[in-house]
Amino acid sequence: MGAGVDYALTDKFVVGAQYRYYDFGSEHYEVAEPFNDRDQNVKLNTVGINLSYKF
């Protein structure tokens, strides 16, 4: 899931930005003693910018 925008600076250059959200779910890990069991929930947010040139 995400969103992005682009803006034409000139007829050749375009600048843009995007946001993305990733949810990889959760997982439970059971391990042998003396270690502890672990729950892991992985979510990631990213933001990117770009500059494009049109030929």
Side-chain angles (χ1 to χ4, degrees):
M1 177 164 69
V5 295
D6 286 329
Y7 177 76
L9 296 174
T10 67
D11 62 336
K12 297 286 184 182
F13 286 99
V14 177
V15 66
Q18 63 259 205
Y19 164 78
R20 292 189 182 176
Y21 171 76
Y22 301 93
D23 185 350
F24 296 103
S26 59
E27 191 73 34
H28 178 74
Y29 297 97
E30 293 184 19
V31 295
E33 292 293 331
F35 302 103
N36 295 326
D37 290 349
R38 177 178 176 172
D39 291 317
Q40 185 169 346
N41 189 3
V42 180
K43 295 179 182 176
L44 181 64
N45 295 282
T46 63
V47 176
I49 58 170
N50 61 309
L51 177 64
S52 302
Y53 178 78
K54 294 195 243 178
F55 291 96

